[in-house]
Amino acid sequence: VSGLHAFLVNGLPAEPGLAMSRGLHYGDGVFRTLLKHEGRVLDVDLQLRKLLDDAAALQLDTSDSTATLLAAEIVKASAGITTAVIKILLVRGGQGRGYAPQTDRADRLVFVYAAPRYPECHWTEGIDTARSEIAIAAQPALAGIKHLNRLEQVLAYRSAPSGLQEIMLCDDKGQAICGGRSNLFCVANGLLMTPDLARSGVRGVMRDKVLACAAQLNIGVRIEAMPWSRVEQADEVFVTNSLIGIWPVRSIGARCWSAPGPVTTALTQALAHPRLT
Amino acid sequence: VSGLHAFLVNGLPAEPGLAMSRGLHYGDGVFRTLLKHEGRVLDVDLQLRKLLDDAAALQLDTSDSTATLLAAEIVKASAGITTAVIKILLVRGGQGRGYAPQTDRADRLVFVYAAPRYPECHWTEGIDTARSEIAIAAQPALAGIKHLNRLEQVLAYRSAPSGLQEIMLCDDKGQAICGGRSNLFCVANGLLMTPDLARSGVRGVMRDKVLACAAQLNIGVRIEAMPWSRVEQADEVFVTNSLIGIWPVRSIGARCWSAPGPVTTALTQALAHPRLT
């Protein structure tokens, strides 16, 4: 590797390989997490489109063939595995030191993991959560993008009370933003609301899918800055991501709901996402 | 690796190794950059102390022996190399998916790179810079820590005009914070000022050393929130890091200085940092 004289891991010489990656040194890349269920990778086109949009937002140079290559690599990597979590990273190439990129070319990393399993009651009775003491920073230049700088989420989980299924995050102005690994939705007076993500947060594929389901069901939608009080006062609360689909929220700290509520139930049925039980 | 079925890099099967690292997936770690010059690693005790302080701030569990092991590994990795850049990472261990850490144990990564060379005039005549259009986010939970979430710096360099030696960063309130890879100092009316880093930025070892030099020289020091206008109105401006020591700033955009000024010169002499020419 150009310019590298030596590399030790825990005192032992090691192959540099991905240790030189700008992903490790700076988090200079984007990712998506996909579910393969009973032999079928869910929402692969939508996932790849959002991955490439995020890459473009970081000025990563993804050629036209990137989506085609990734789709083939997902098939290749998960061949013979019927149910799995597939994580894709696009990481800016180049191996030199320094923040300034030497190239905008992106390397493709495809991981296939065993799928998690969750108790059925997470879907049928809802999950317990709390508001994190970590406030998520406002950074319009990175907001919405599923990038590799995720220390805030790590700290939020690291400091979360045990026994919870999710931790809720607000920004430094007390606006609700998201769950630690999920997007956040509320229902009030029959209207579906989810935070605007212009300053913080990640635009998940499942967030888009739920918004599309709401449109199909003629449920009114508002995407806007959402003070935390509106979450606590909501009639229904739920979180979404590409693995779980929709999890109703039955508690945030001391505030409890009878979950799932009717709008959450209607959206869950319309979404028809598999349950990893 | 537990739970990993497959891993491809650009379509080809690869050894997972550091590809599973929480450093790559989340930036869950801290780092320091050291200079070895003419056979001597500079400020190794101070660097390791700050590395371990930062690790503790992320609740990384570094045993008492970590500093001792790292000091030995720096010697081992750079044996026979007289001048080099040594980069040390402490990265949270564990290889599973998910933000919640499975362990707080830290892996030690030691890189030895060829040292950069810079024109002598960067020290003797100063550098050209500009204010970045990227505003750095406020995150008190991470401020001051030299952690691996560095996308803001990447974006700042990526969008910087060419031909500059550094890019200056403010927060979202227009307070001056730092250079892209340096700490920022100003001199006004004989007083040395550097931004308070309670909300953003990195506390560099060279920043501490310059503050100590100022104390030795009986130069008054103020560490406080610093509106950008105070930088532009300053009598002298300079930036610091562990490789360059002090670089006087001779321009920020259209604002020019005759550099180096007298206080910058006095501090540079007291610091006696080698020049990588």
Side-chain angles (χ1 to χ4, degrees):
Chain A
V1 169
S2 133
L4 187 73
H5 288 313
F7 174 52
L8 304 182
V9 177
N10 294 331
L12 300 173
E15 281 301 307
L18 283 159
M20 302 295 286
S21 165
R22 293 177 63 91
L24 173 63
H25 289 264
Y26 311 129
D28 192 5
V30 295
F31 74 103
R32 289 280 159 182
T33 304
L34 291 74
L35 178 59
K36 183 172 183 178
H37 185 256
E38 296 181 354
R40 198 167 59 89
V41 182
L42 304 188
D43 307 313
V44 65
D45 292 343
L46 191 52
Q47 291 274 7
L48 291 176
R49 193 166 76 229
K50 285 184 96 75
L51 181 78
L52 294 186
D53 286 351
D54 283 354
L58 295 190
Q59 295 167 303
L60 283 167
D61 180 24
T62 55
S63 67
D64 292 347
S65 60
T66 302
T68 312
L69 288 167
L70 277 171
E73 288 161 13
I74 288 168
V75 171
K76 175 181 174 182
S78 68
I81 303 168
T82 54
T83 298
V85 172
I86 300 172
K87 188 170 176 180
I88 314 172
L89 277 66
L90 285 177
V91 179
R92 200 181 320 258
Q95 308 213 303
R97 277 189 60 254
Y99 293 121
Q102 288 92 45
T103 177
D104 289 330
R105 183 182 51 75
D107 287 318
R108 306 180 306 279
L109 276 60
V110 176
F111 300 82
V112 181
Y113 297 91
R117 290 167 171 274
Y118 303 105
E120 177 88 16
C121 62
H122 288 3
W123 286 273
T124 56
E125 297 170 29
I127 60 167
D128 296 310
T129 75
R131 178 176 169 180
S132 179
E133 59 206 34
I134 302 285
I136 202 161
Q139 176 48 279
L142 294 172
I145 302 172
K146 204 167 171 83
H147 56 69
L148 295 172
N149 278 196
R150 302 260 71 103
L151 257 177
E152 290 176 325
Q153 284 73 22
V154 171
L155 292 187
Y157 273 104
R158 179 67 180 71
S159 63
S162 61
L164 302 179
Q165 284 81 51
E166 184 54 305
I167 186 86
M168 301 299 197
L169 289 157
C170 291
D171 68 10
D172 57 350
K173 295 180 175 173
Q175 307 278 343
I177 300 296
C178 56
R181 54 177 164 150
S182 61
N183 282 116
L184 172 66
F185 287 83
C186 297
V187 179
N189 305 317
L191 212 61
L192 183 67
M193 298 178 293
T194 194
D196 168 64
L197 301 177
R199 292 169 23 96
S200 306
V202 172
R203 283 190 200 93
V205 160
M206 197 55 62
R207 177 175 182 266
D208 282 8
K209 290 190 72 181
V210 166
L211 291 172
C213 283
Q216 281 181 346
L217 296 175
N218 289 315
I219 297 168
V221 169
R222 282 165 67 177
I223 303 173
E224 59 189 8
M226 193 186 291
W228 179 248
S229 59
R230 206 177 302 171
V231 179
E232 293 197 310
Q233 291 159 13
D235 302 323
E236 305 175 34
V237 178
F238 63 87
V239 295
T240 67
N241 76 29
S242 293
L243 300 186
I244 64 177
I246 289 174
W247 273 353
V249 170
R250 68 174 185 182
S251 75
I252 306 178
R255 170 69 164 103
C256 295
W257 287 266
S258 171
V263 175
T264 306
T265 298
L267 287 166
T268 300
Q269 286 171 355
L271 194 62
H273 189 80
R275 295 180 181 178
L276 296 171
T277 54
Chain B
V1 170
S2 133
L4 187 73
H5 288 313
F7 174 53
L8 304 182
V9 177
N10 294 331
L12 301 174
E15 281 300 308
L18 283 159
M20 302 295 286
S21 165
R22 293 176 63 91
L24 173 63
H25 290 265
Y26 310 129
D28 191 6
V30 294
F31 74 104
R32 290 280 159 181
T33 304
L34 291 74
L35 178 58
K36 183 173 185 179
H37 184 256
E38 296 182 354
R40 198 166 59 90
V41 182
L42 305 187
D43 307 314
V44 65
D45 292 345
L46 191 52
Q47 291 274 8
L48 292 176
R49 194 166 73 228
K50 285 184 96 76
L51 181 78
L52 294 186
D53 285 350
D54 283 354
L58 293 190
Q59 296 167 301
L60 283 168
D61 178 24
T62 55
S63 65
D64 292 346
S65 60
T66 302
T68 311
L69 288 167
L70 277 172
E73 287 161 13
I74 288 168
V75 170
K76 175 180 173 181
S78 68
I81 302 166
T82 54
T83 298
V85 171
I86 300 172
K87 188 169 176 181
I88 315 172
L89 276 67
L90 285 178
V91 178
R92 201 182 318 259
Q95 308 212 304
R97 275 190 62 256
Y99 293 121
Q102 288 92 46
T103 175
D104 289 329
R105 181 182 52 75
D107 287 318
R108 304 180 307 278
L109 276 59
V110 177
F111 300 81
V112 181
Y113 297 92
R117 290 165 171 275
Y118 303 106
E120 177 87 16
C121 63
H122 288 3
W123 287 274
T124 56
E125 296 170 29
I127 61 167
D128 295 312
T129 76
R131 178 176 169 180
S132 179
E133 58 206 33
I134 302 286
I136 201 160
Q139 176 47 279
L142 293 172
I145 301 173
K146 205 168 171 83
H147 56 69
L148 295 172
N149 278 197
R150 303 261 70 104
L151 257 177
E152 291 176 325
Q153 285 73 20
V154 171
L155 292 187
Y157 272 103
R158 178 68 179 69
S159 64
S162 61
L164 302 179
Q165 284 81 52
E166 184 55 306
I167 188 84
M168 301 298 196
L169 290 157
C170 292
D171 68 11
D172 57 350
K173 294 181 175 171
Q175 307 278 343
I177 300 295
C178 55
R181 53 175 164 154
S182 60
N183 284 114
L184 172 65
F185 288 83
C186 296
V187 179
N189 305 316
L191 211 62
L192 184 68
M193 297 178 295
T194 194
D196 168 65
L197 301 176
R199 291 170 22 97
S200 305
V202 172
R203 284 189 199 95
V205 160
M206 198 55 62
R207 178 176 181 265
D208 282 8
K209 289 190 72 182
V210 167
L211 292 171
C213 282
Q216 280 181 346
L217 296 174
N218 288 314
I219 297 168
V221 169
R222 282 165 65 177
I223 303 174
E224 57 188 8
M226 195 187 291
W228 179 248
S229 59
R230 206 176 302 171
V231 179
E232 294 197 310
Q233 290 159 13
D235 303 323
E236 306 175 34
V237 178
F238 62 87
V239 296
T240 67
N241 76 30
S242 293
L243 300 186
I244 64 177
I246 289 174
W247 274 354
V249 171
R250 69 175 184 182
S251 75
I252 305 178
R255 169 69 164 103
C256 295
W257 287 265
S258 172
V263 174
T264 306
T265 299
L267 287 165
T268 300
Q269 287 172 353
L271 195 64
H273 189 80
R275 294 180 181 178
L276 296 170
T277 54

